Short mmCIF file of all heavy atoms in Angstrom, two decimals:
data_model
loop_
_atom_site.label_atom_id
_atom_site.label_comp_id
_atom_site.label_asym_id
_atom_site.label_seq_id
_atom_site.Cartn_x
_atom_site.Cartn_y
_atom_site.Cartn_z
N MET A 1 67.54 80.34 170.67
CA MET A 1 67.10 81.63 170.19
C MET A 1 66.64 82.51 171.36
O MET A 1 66.87 83.70 171.35
CB MET A 1 65.98 81.43 169.16
CG MET A 1 65.54 82.68 168.49
SD MET A 1 66.84 83.30 167.44
CE MET A 1 65.95 84.35 166.38
N SER A 2 65.98 81.90 172.36
CA SER A 2 65.52 82.69 173.50
C SER A 2 66.71 83.25 174.29
O SER A 2 66.60 84.32 174.89
CB SER A 2 64.61 81.87 174.39
OG SER A 2 65.31 80.76 174.92
N ASP A 3 67.81 82.51 174.32
CA ASP A 3 69.01 83.03 174.99
C ASP A 3 69.52 84.28 174.30
O ASP A 3 69.94 85.23 174.96
CB ASP A 3 70.11 81.97 175.01
CG ASP A 3 69.76 80.77 175.88
OD1 ASP A 3 68.93 80.94 176.80
OD2 ASP A 3 70.32 79.69 175.63
N LEU A 4 69.48 84.27 173.00
CA LEU A 4 69.92 85.43 172.23
C LEU A 4 69.03 86.63 172.53
O LEU A 4 69.52 87.75 172.75
CB LEU A 4 69.91 85.10 170.74
CG LEU A 4 70.42 86.17 169.80
CD1 LEU A 4 71.90 86.45 170.06
CD2 LEU A 4 70.23 85.74 168.36
N ILE A 5 67.72 86.42 172.57
CA ILE A 5 66.79 87.51 172.88
C ILE A 5 67.02 88.01 174.30
O ILE A 5 66.99 89.21 174.57
CB ILE A 5 65.34 87.04 172.67
CG1 ILE A 5 65.09 86.78 171.18
CG2 ILE A 5 64.35 88.07 173.19
CD1 ILE A 5 63.77 86.14 170.88
N LYS A 6 67.27 87.08 175.24
CA LYS A 6 67.53 87.47 176.64
C LYS A 6 68.78 88.33 176.74
O LYS A 6 68.80 89.34 177.44
CB LYS A 6 67.67 86.22 177.49
CG LYS A 6 67.84 86.50 178.95
CD LYS A 6 67.95 85.21 179.74
CE LYS A 6 68.21 85.53 181.20
NZ LYS A 6 68.45 84.33 181.99
N ILE A 7 69.83 87.94 176.03
CA ILE A 7 71.08 88.72 176.05
C ILE A 7 70.83 90.12 175.51
O ILE A 7 71.27 91.13 176.09
CB ILE A 7 72.18 88.00 175.26
CG1 ILE A 7 72.63 86.73 175.99
CG2 ILE A 7 73.37 88.92 175.02
CD1 ILE A 7 73.53 85.83 175.16
N PHE A 8 70.11 90.21 174.39
CA PHE A 8 69.83 91.52 173.80
C PHE A 8 68.96 92.36 174.73
O PHE A 8 69.20 93.57 174.89
CB PHE A 8 69.15 91.36 172.44
CG PHE A 8 70.11 91.21 171.30
CD1 PHE A 8 70.40 89.95 170.80
CD2 PHE A 8 70.71 92.30 170.73
CE1 PHE A 8 71.28 89.79 169.74
CE2 PHE A 8 71.59 92.16 169.67
CZ PHE A 8 71.88 90.90 169.18
N SER A 9 67.94 91.75 175.36
CA SER A 9 67.05 92.53 176.23
C SER A 9 67.77 92.99 177.50
O SER A 9 67.48 94.09 177.99
CB SER A 9 65.81 91.71 176.58
OG SER A 9 66.16 90.59 177.35
N GLU A 10 68.66 92.17 178.02
CA GLU A 10 69.40 92.58 179.22
C GLU A 10 70.34 93.74 178.94
O GLU A 10 70.57 94.59 179.80
CB GLU A 10 70.20 91.40 179.77
CG GLU A 10 69.35 90.35 180.45
CD GLU A 10 70.16 89.14 180.87
OE1 GLU A 10 71.36 89.07 180.53
OE2 GLU A 10 69.58 88.25 181.53
N ARG A 11 70.87 93.78 177.74
CA ARG A 11 71.82 94.85 177.41
C ARG A 11 71.11 96.08 176.84
O ARG A 11 71.74 97.08 176.55
CB ARG A 11 72.83 94.33 176.40
CG ARG A 11 73.64 93.17 176.98
CD ARG A 11 74.59 92.62 175.99
NE ARG A 11 75.80 93.44 175.98
CZ ARG A 11 76.70 93.42 175.03
NH1 ARG A 11 76.54 92.64 173.98
NH2 ARG A 11 77.78 94.15 175.10
N GLY A 12 69.81 95.99 176.63
CA GLY A 12 69.07 97.13 176.11
C GLY A 12 69.24 97.31 174.62
O GLY A 12 69.09 98.42 174.10
N ASP A 13 69.57 96.22 173.93
CA ASP A 13 69.81 96.31 172.49
C ASP A 13 68.63 95.76 171.67
O ASP A 13 68.82 95.14 170.63
CB ASP A 13 71.07 95.54 172.11
CG ASP A 13 72.33 96.21 172.61
OD1 ASP A 13 72.27 97.41 172.89
OD2 ASP A 13 73.36 95.53 172.71
N LEU A 14 67.42 95.99 172.15
CA LEU A 14 66.26 95.49 171.41
C LEU A 14 66.13 96.15 170.04
O LEU A 14 65.68 95.52 169.08
CB LEU A 14 64.98 95.70 172.22
CG LEU A 14 64.83 94.80 173.44
CD1 LEU A 14 63.56 95.14 174.20
CD2 LEU A 14 64.83 93.34 173.03
N ALA A 15 66.55 97.40 169.95
CA ALA A 15 66.49 98.08 168.65
C ALA A 15 67.43 97.40 167.66
O ALA A 15 67.10 97.25 166.48
CB ALA A 15 66.85 99.55 168.81
N HIS A 16 68.58 96.99 168.15
CA HIS A 16 69.52 96.29 167.26
C HIS A 16 68.96 94.94 166.83
O HIS A 16 69.12 94.52 165.69
CB HIS A 16 70.87 96.09 167.96
CG HIS A 16 71.63 97.36 168.11
ND1 HIS A 16 71.77 97.98 169.31
CD2 HIS A 16 72.29 98.12 167.20
CE1 HIS A 16 72.48 99.09 169.14
NE2 HIS A 16 72.82 99.20 167.87
N LEU A 17 68.29 94.25 167.75
CA LEU A 17 67.67 92.98 167.41
C LEU A 17 66.57 93.18 166.37
O LEU A 17 66.49 92.42 165.39
CB LEU A 17 67.10 92.31 168.67
CG LEU A 17 66.41 90.98 168.46
CD1 LEU A 17 67.39 89.95 167.89
CD2 LEU A 17 65.80 90.49 169.77
N ALA A 18 65.75 94.20 166.58
CA ALA A 18 64.69 94.49 165.61
C ALA A 18 65.30 94.85 164.25
O ALA A 18 64.79 94.40 163.19
CB ALA A 18 63.82 95.63 166.12
N LEU A 19 66.35 95.62 164.24
CA LEU A 19 67.01 95.98 162.99
C LEU A 19 67.60 94.76 162.30
O LEU A 19 67.51 94.61 161.08
CB LEU A 19 68.10 97.02 163.27
CG LEU A 19 68.84 97.57 162.05
CD1 LEU A 19 67.86 98.26 161.11
CD2 LEU A 19 69.92 98.54 162.49
N LEU A 20 68.20 93.87 163.08
CA LEU A 20 68.76 92.64 162.52
C LEU A 20 67.67 91.78 161.89
O LEU A 20 67.81 91.29 160.77
CB LEU A 20 69.49 91.85 163.60
CG LEU A 20 70.00 90.46 163.18
CD1 LEU A 20 71.11 90.60 162.15
CD2 LEU A 20 70.48 89.69 164.40
N LEU A 21 66.56 91.61 162.60
CA LEU A 21 65.46 90.82 162.07
C LEU A 21 64.87 91.46 160.81
O LEU A 21 64.52 90.77 159.85
CB LEU A 21 64.38 90.62 163.13
CG LEU A 21 64.79 89.77 164.32
CD1 LEU A 21 63.69 89.75 165.38
CD2 LEU A 21 65.15 88.36 163.88
N TRP A 22 64.76 92.79 160.81
CA TRP A 22 64.26 93.49 159.62
C TRP A 22 65.22 93.28 158.45
O TRP A 22 64.78 93.03 157.33
CB TRP A 22 64.11 94.98 159.91
CG TRP A 22 63.71 95.75 158.70
CD1 TRP A 22 62.45 95.94 158.22
CD2 TRP A 22 64.58 96.41 157.77
NE1 TRP A 22 62.48 96.66 157.06
CE2 TRP A 22 63.78 96.97 156.76
CE3 TRP A 22 65.96 96.58 157.71
CZ2 TRP A 22 64.32 97.69 155.70
CZ3 TRP A 22 66.49 97.29 156.65
CH2 TRP A 22 65.68 97.84 155.66
N ALA A 23 66.51 93.39 158.69
CA ALA A 23 67.50 93.22 157.61
C ALA A 23 67.46 91.80 157.06
O ALA A 23 67.55 91.61 155.84
CB ALA A 23 68.90 93.56 158.13
N ILE A 24 67.32 90.82 157.92
CA ILE A 24 67.23 89.44 157.45
C ILE A 24 65.97 89.25 156.61
O ILE A 24 66.01 88.65 155.53
CB ILE A 24 67.27 88.46 158.65
CG1 ILE A 24 68.65 88.45 159.28
CG2 ILE A 24 66.87 87.06 158.22
CD1 ILE A 24 68.72 87.70 160.59
N GLY A 25 64.87 89.77 157.09
CA GLY A 25 63.61 89.66 156.34
C GLY A 25 63.67 90.37 155.00
O GLY A 25 63.21 89.85 153.98
N ALA A 26 64.25 91.56 154.99
CA ALA A 26 64.38 92.31 153.74
C ALA A 26 65.30 91.59 152.76
O ALA A 26 65.03 91.54 151.55
CB ALA A 26 64.90 93.72 154.02
N SER A 27 66.37 91.01 153.26
CA SER A 27 67.30 90.28 152.39
C SER A 27 66.64 89.05 151.79
O SER A 27 66.81 88.76 150.60
CB SER A 27 68.55 89.87 153.17
OG SER A 27 69.25 91.01 153.61
N LEU A 28 65.90 88.32 152.61
CA LEU A 28 65.18 87.15 152.10
C LEU A 28 64.13 87.56 151.07
O LEU A 28 63.95 86.88 150.06
CB LEU A 28 64.54 86.38 153.24
CG LEU A 28 65.50 85.62 154.15
CD1 LEU A 28 64.75 85.01 155.33
CD2 LEU A 28 66.26 84.57 153.39
N GLY A 29 63.44 88.66 151.33
CA GLY A 29 62.46 89.15 150.38
C GLY A 29 63.09 89.54 149.05
O GLY A 29 62.58 89.23 147.98
N LEU A 30 64.22 90.21 149.12
CA LEU A 30 64.92 90.60 147.90
C LEU A 30 65.41 89.39 147.14
O LEU A 30 65.28 89.32 145.92
CB LEU A 30 66.12 91.51 148.25
CG LEU A 30 66.97 91.95 147.05
CD1 LEU A 30 66.15 92.81 146.09
CD2 LEU A 30 68.19 92.69 147.55
N TRP A 31 65.92 88.38 147.85
CA TRP A 31 66.37 87.15 147.21
C TRP A 31 65.21 86.47 146.49
O TRP A 31 65.36 86.02 145.36
CB TRP A 31 66.98 86.22 148.26
CG TRP A 31 67.40 84.90 147.69
CD1 TRP A 31 68.52 84.64 146.98
CD2 TRP A 31 66.68 83.68 147.77
NE1 TRP A 31 68.54 83.32 146.61
CE2 TRP A 31 67.42 82.70 147.08
CE3 TRP A 31 65.47 83.31 148.36
CZ2 TRP A 31 67.00 81.39 146.97
CZ3 TRP A 31 65.06 82.00 148.24
CH2 TRP A 31 65.82 81.07 147.56
N PHE A 32 64.05 86.42 147.13
CA PHE A 32 62.88 85.79 146.53
C PHE A 32 62.45 86.56 145.27
O PHE A 32 62.17 85.95 144.23
CB PHE A 32 61.73 85.75 147.54
CG PHE A 32 60.47 85.19 146.97
CD1 PHE A 32 60.33 83.83 146.76
CD2 PHE A 32 59.41 86.02 146.65
CE1 PHE A 32 59.17 83.30 146.24
CE2 PHE A 32 58.25 85.51 146.12
CZ PHE A 32 58.12 84.15 145.91
N VAL A 33 62.42 87.88 145.35
CA VAL A 33 62.01 88.69 144.21
C VAL A 33 62.99 88.52 143.05
O VAL A 33 62.57 88.36 141.89
CB VAL A 33 61.89 90.18 144.61
CG1 VAL A 33 61.79 91.09 143.40
CG2 VAL A 33 60.69 90.38 145.53
N LEU A 34 64.29 88.53 143.33
CA LEU A 34 65.28 88.37 142.26
C LEU A 34 65.19 86.98 141.63
O LEU A 34 65.34 86.83 140.42
CB LEU A 34 66.68 88.62 142.80
CG LEU A 34 67.00 90.07 143.13
CD1 LEU A 34 68.38 90.18 143.74
CD2 LEU A 34 66.89 90.95 141.90
N ARG A 35 64.93 85.96 142.45
CA ARG A 35 64.79 84.60 141.92
C ARG A 35 63.58 84.51 140.98
O ARG A 35 63.67 83.94 139.90
CB ARG A 35 64.65 83.63 143.07
CG ARG A 35 64.63 82.17 142.62
CD ARG A 35 64.43 81.26 143.78
NE ARG A 35 63.12 81.51 144.35
CZ ARG A 35 62.46 80.66 145.11
NH1 ARG A 35 63.02 79.53 145.43
NH2 ARG A 35 61.28 80.96 145.58
N GLU A 36 62.46 85.09 141.41
CA GLU A 36 61.26 85.06 140.57
C GLU A 36 61.45 85.88 139.30
O GLU A 36 60.97 85.52 138.23
CB GLU A 36 60.05 85.58 141.35
CG GLU A 36 59.64 84.66 142.47
CD GLU A 36 59.24 83.29 141.98
OE1 GLU A 36 58.50 83.19 140.99
OE2 GLU A 36 59.68 82.29 142.59
N TRP A 37 62.16 87.01 139.41
CA TRP A 37 62.41 87.85 138.25
C TRP A 37 63.29 87.11 137.24
O TRP A 37 63.03 87.16 136.03
CB TRP A 37 63.06 89.16 138.68
CG TRP A 37 63.38 90.08 137.56
CD1 TRP A 37 62.50 90.65 136.69
CD2 TRP A 37 64.67 90.52 137.17
NE1 TRP A 37 63.18 91.43 135.79
CE2 TRP A 37 64.51 91.37 136.06
CE3 TRP A 37 65.96 90.29 137.66
CZ2 TRP A 37 65.58 91.98 135.44
CZ3 TRP A 37 67.00 90.91 137.04
CH2 TRP A 37 66.82 91.73 135.95
N ALA A 38 64.30 86.41 137.72
CA ALA A 38 65.17 85.65 136.83
C ALA A 38 64.38 84.55 136.13
O ALA A 38 64.58 84.29 134.93
CB ALA A 38 66.34 85.05 137.61
N ALA A 39 63.47 83.90 136.84
CA ALA A 39 62.64 82.86 136.22
C ALA A 39 61.74 83.48 135.16
O ALA A 39 61.54 82.89 134.08
CB ALA A 39 61.82 82.15 137.28
N ALA A 40 61.19 84.66 135.42
CA ALA A 40 60.34 85.33 134.44
C ALA A 40 61.14 85.71 133.20
O ALA A 40 60.65 85.59 132.07
CB ALA A 40 59.69 86.57 135.06
N VAL A 41 62.36 86.15 133.39
CA VAL A 41 63.22 86.51 132.25
C VAL A 41 63.51 85.28 131.41
O VAL A 41 63.48 85.33 130.17
CB VAL A 41 64.53 87.18 132.74
CG1 VAL A 41 65.55 87.27 131.63
CG2 VAL A 41 64.23 88.56 133.30
N ARG A 42 63.77 84.14 132.06
CA ARG A 42 64.02 82.90 131.32
C ARG A 42 62.78 82.48 130.53
O ARG A 42 62.88 82.07 129.37
CB ARG A 42 64.43 81.78 132.27
CG ARG A 42 65.89 81.82 132.66
CD ARG A 42 66.32 80.54 133.37
NE ARG A 42 65.54 80.26 134.57
CZ ARG A 42 65.82 80.74 135.77
NH1 ARG A 42 66.87 81.53 135.93
NH2 ARG A 42 65.08 80.43 136.80
N ARG A 43 61.60 82.58 131.15
CA ARG A 43 60.36 82.21 130.44
C ARG A 43 60.14 83.13 129.25
O ARG A 43 59.73 82.69 128.18
CB ARG A 43 59.16 82.27 131.40
CG ARG A 43 59.12 81.15 132.39
CD ARG A 43 57.79 81.11 133.13
NE ARG A 43 57.49 82.34 133.85
CZ ARG A 43 57.80 82.56 135.11
NH1 ARG A 43 58.45 81.63 135.81
NH2 ARG A 43 57.48 83.68 135.69
N PHE A 44 60.39 84.43 129.42
CA PHE A 44 60.21 85.36 128.32
C PHE A 44 61.21 85.07 127.20
O PHE A 44 60.86 85.12 126.02
CB PHE A 44 60.39 86.81 128.81
CG PHE A 44 60.17 87.83 127.73
CD1 PHE A 44 58.91 88.08 127.24
CD2 PHE A 44 61.25 88.54 127.20
CE1 PHE A 44 58.70 89.01 126.24
CE2 PHE A 44 61.05 89.46 126.21
CZ PHE A 44 59.77 89.71 125.73
N ASP A 45 62.45 84.72 127.56
CA ASP A 45 63.45 84.37 126.56
C ASP A 45 63.03 83.12 125.79
O ASP A 45 63.18 83.06 124.57
CB ASP A 45 64.80 84.15 127.24
CG ASP A 45 65.92 83.98 126.24
OD1 ASP A 45 66.01 84.80 125.30
OD2 ASP A 45 66.71 83.02 126.40
N ASP A 46 62.48 82.14 126.49
CA ASP A 46 61.98 80.93 125.82
C ASP A 46 60.85 81.28 124.85
O ASP A 46 60.76 80.74 123.74
CB ASP A 46 61.50 79.90 126.83
CG ASP A 46 62.63 79.31 127.64
OD1 ASP A 46 63.80 79.43 127.21
OD2 ASP A 46 62.34 78.73 128.70
N PHE A 47 59.96 82.19 125.28
CA PHE A 47 58.86 82.61 124.42
C PHE A 47 59.38 83.30 123.16
O PHE A 47 58.92 83.02 122.04
CB PHE A 47 57.92 83.55 125.18
CG PHE A 47 56.92 84.25 124.32
CD1 PHE A 47 55.84 83.56 123.80
CD2 PHE A 47 57.07 85.60 124.03
CE1 PHE A 47 54.92 84.20 123.00
CE2 PHE A 47 56.15 86.25 123.23
CZ PHE A 47 55.07 85.55 122.71
N VAL A 48 60.33 84.21 123.32
CA VAL A 48 60.88 84.93 122.16
C VAL A 48 61.58 83.95 121.21
O VAL A 48 61.45 84.06 119.99
CB VAL A 48 61.84 86.05 122.62
CG1 VAL A 48 62.62 86.63 121.45
CG2 VAL A 48 61.07 87.13 123.35
N HIS A 49 62.28 82.98 121.77
CA HIS A 49 62.95 81.97 120.94
C HIS A 49 61.92 81.15 120.16
O HIS A 49 62.10 80.90 118.96
CB HIS A 49 63.79 81.05 121.82
CG HIS A 49 64.50 79.99 121.04
ND1 HIS A 49 65.52 80.25 120.17
CD2 HIS A 49 64.30 78.65 121.00
CE1 HIS A 49 65.92 79.12 119.62
NE2 HIS A 49 65.18 78.13 120.11
N ALA A 50 60.84 80.74 120.82
CA ALA A 50 59.79 79.97 120.14
C ALA A 50 59.12 80.82 119.06
O ALA A 50 58.80 80.31 117.97
CB ALA A 50 58.76 79.47 121.14
N LEU A 51 58.91 82.08 119.32
CA LEU A 51 58.30 82.98 118.33
C LEU A 51 59.22 83.15 117.13
O LEU A 51 58.76 83.16 115.97
CB LEU A 51 58.00 84.33 118.98
CG LEU A 51 57.21 85.33 118.16
CD1 LEU A 51 55.86 84.76 117.78
CD2 LEU A 51 57.04 86.62 118.95
N GLU A 52 60.51 83.28 117.37
CA GLU A 52 61.46 83.39 116.27
C GLU A 52 61.46 82.12 115.42
O GLU A 52 61.47 82.19 114.19
CB GLU A 52 62.87 83.64 116.81
CG GLU A 52 63.90 83.73 115.71
CD GLU A 52 65.31 83.45 116.19
OE1 GLU A 52 65.48 83.14 117.37
OE2 GLU A 52 66.22 83.51 115.35
N LEU A 53 61.41 80.98 116.06
CA LEU A 53 61.35 79.70 115.34
C LEU A 53 60.08 79.60 114.51
O LEU A 53 60.12 79.19 113.34
CB LEU A 53 61.44 78.55 116.34
CG LEU A 53 61.51 77.14 115.78
CD1 LEU A 53 62.77 76.99 114.91
CD2 LEU A 53 61.52 76.14 116.91
N PHE A 54 58.97 80.00 115.07
CA PHE A 54 57.70 80.00 114.34
C PHE A 54 57.78 80.92 113.12
O PHE A 54 57.36 80.54 112.02
CB PHE A 54 56.57 80.45 115.26
CG PHE A 54 55.27 80.64 114.56
CD1 PHE A 54 54.46 79.56 114.23
CD2 PHE A 54 54.83 81.93 114.19
CE1 PHE A 54 53.27 79.74 113.57
CE2 PHE A 54 53.64 82.11 113.54
CZ PHE A 54 52.85 81.01 113.23
N ASN A 55 58.30 82.12 113.29
CA ASN A 55 58.41 83.06 112.17
C ASN A 55 59.34 82.54 111.08
O ASN A 55 59.06 82.70 109.89
CB ASN A 55 58.90 84.42 112.67
CG ASN A 55 57.82 85.17 113.41
OD1 ASN A 55 56.64 84.96 113.20
ND2 ASN A 55 58.24 86.04 114.32
N ARG A 56 60.43 81.92 111.49
CA ARG A 56 61.37 81.35 110.51
C ARG A 56 60.69 80.25 109.69
O ARG A 56 60.79 80.23 108.46
CB ARG A 56 62.59 80.80 111.24
CG ARG A 56 63.73 80.48 110.28
CD ARG A 56 64.95 79.93 111.00
NE ARG A 56 65.29 80.69 112.20
CZ ARG A 56 65.82 80.16 113.29
NH1 ARG A 56 66.07 78.87 113.35
NH2 ARG A 56 66.13 80.90 114.32
N ARG A 57 59.95 79.38 110.36
CA ARG A 57 59.24 78.32 109.65
C ARG A 57 58.15 78.89 108.76
O ARG A 57 57.93 78.39 107.64
CB ARG A 57 58.64 77.33 110.64
CG ARG A 57 59.67 76.47 111.30
CD ARG A 57 59.04 75.54 112.30
NE ARG A 57 60.04 74.71 112.95
CZ ARG A 57 59.81 73.99 114.02
NH1 ARG A 57 58.61 73.96 114.57
NH2 ARG A 57 60.77 73.27 114.56
N ALA A 58 57.46 79.91 109.22
CA ALA A 58 56.39 80.53 108.42
C ALA A 58 56.98 81.18 107.17
O ALA A 58 56.39 81.10 106.08
CB ALA A 58 55.63 81.55 109.26
N ARG A 59 58.14 81.83 107.28
CA ARG A 59 58.78 82.44 106.11
C ARG A 59 59.21 81.37 105.11
O ARG A 59 59.03 81.54 103.91
CB ARG A 59 60.00 83.26 106.55
CG ARG A 59 59.64 84.69 106.87
CD ARG A 59 60.87 85.54 107.11
NE ARG A 59 60.96 85.75 108.56
CZ ARG A 59 61.95 85.38 109.32
NH1 ARG A 59 63.00 84.77 108.80
NH2 ARG A 59 61.95 85.62 110.61
N ARG A 60 59.77 80.26 105.61
CA ARG A 60 60.18 79.18 104.71
C ARG A 60 58.97 78.61 103.98
O ARG A 60 59.04 78.33 102.79
CB ARG A 60 60.87 78.07 105.48
CG ARG A 60 62.27 78.37 105.87
CD ARG A 60 62.92 77.18 106.52
NE ARG A 60 64.15 77.54 107.19
CZ ARG A 60 64.68 76.89 108.19
NH1 ARG A 60 64.09 75.80 108.65
NH2 ARG A 60 65.79 77.28 108.74
N ARG A 61 57.88 78.42 104.71
CA ARG A 61 56.67 77.87 104.10
C ARG A 61 56.13 78.84 103.05
O ARG A 61 55.69 78.40 101.98
CB ARG A 61 55.63 77.61 105.16
CG ARG A 61 54.39 76.92 104.61
CD ARG A 61 53.45 76.52 105.70
NE ARG A 61 54.04 75.40 106.43
CZ ARG A 61 53.57 74.94 107.55
NH1 ARG A 61 52.51 75.49 108.11
NH2 ARG A 61 54.14 73.92 108.14
N ALA A 62 56.17 80.13 103.31
CA ALA A 62 55.68 81.11 102.35
C ALA A 62 56.57 81.12 101.09
O ALA A 62 56.06 81.24 99.98
CB ALA A 62 55.66 82.50 102.98
N ILE A 63 57.88 80.98 101.27
CA ILE A 63 58.79 80.95 100.12
C ILE A 63 58.57 79.67 99.33
O ILE A 63 58.55 79.70 98.09
CB ILE A 63 60.26 81.07 100.61
CG1 ILE A 63 60.51 82.46 101.15
CG2 ILE A 63 61.22 80.74 99.47
CD1 ILE A 63 61.87 82.62 101.81
N ASP A 64 58.36 78.54 99.98
CA ASP A 64 58.14 77.27 99.29
C ASP A 64 56.83 77.27 98.51
O ASP A 64 56.72 76.64 97.47
CB ASP A 64 58.15 76.10 100.27
CG ASP A 64 59.52 75.84 100.85
OD1 ASP A 64 60.51 76.35 100.26
OD2 ASP A 64 59.61 75.18 101.90
N GLU A 65 55.82 77.99 98.99
CA GLU A 65 54.53 78.02 98.30
C GLU A 65 54.54 78.92 97.08
O GLU A 65 53.69 78.82 96.23
CB GLU A 65 53.43 78.45 99.27
CG GLU A 65 53.14 77.40 100.33
CD GLU A 65 52.11 77.86 101.34
OE1 GLU A 65 51.65 79.02 101.23
OE2 GLU A 65 51.78 77.09 102.22
N GLU A 66 55.50 79.81 96.97
CA GLU A 66 55.56 80.73 95.82
C GLU A 66 56.04 80.05 94.62
O GLU A 66 56.36 79.27 94.06
CB GLU A 66 56.47 81.90 96.13
CG GLU A 66 55.89 82.85 97.12
CD GLU A 66 56.84 83.99 97.43
OE1 GLU A 66 57.98 84.04 96.90
OE2 GLU A 66 56.47 84.87 98.21
#
């Protein structure tokens, strides 16, 4: 890695190196956020499914008690 930094510094491309590191960091951050968002969507979907099951059972119980 130090060789890569040396090559960039000798050629005066430190701005490009900084931009590359920023882009990698931003991409990793976006990947992490999207992964967490997808997990949250799955958890919410599981919750809605459990709520629907509860409501269905509650309606059946109410009909059976009548």
Side-chain angles (χ1 to χ4, degrees):
M1 186 68 160
S2 62
D3 293 336
L4 183 64
I5 293 172
K6 184 179 176 185
I7 291 169
F8 273 98
S9 65
E10 286 174 354
R11 298 178 83 196
D13 290 339
L14 288 178
H16 288 107
L17 179 62
L19 183 60
L20 174 67
L21 293 175
W22 176 85
I24 290 170
S27 297
L28 289 174
L30 178 64
W31 177 78
F32 177 76
V33 167
L34 288 176
R35 186 183 64 159
E36 292 299 315
W37 179 62
V41 167
R42 279 192 302 274
R43 287 191 302 268
F44 182 72
D45 188 48
D46 292 342
F47 168 73
V48 169
H49 179 69
L51 187 59
E52 178 202 2
L53 185 61
F54 173 79
N55 286 334
R56 193 180 314 147
R57 288 178 181 167
R59 271 188 255 119
R60 283 185 194 155
R61 185 173 289 169
I63 290 173
D64 290 344
E65 291 177 358
E66 288 179 359

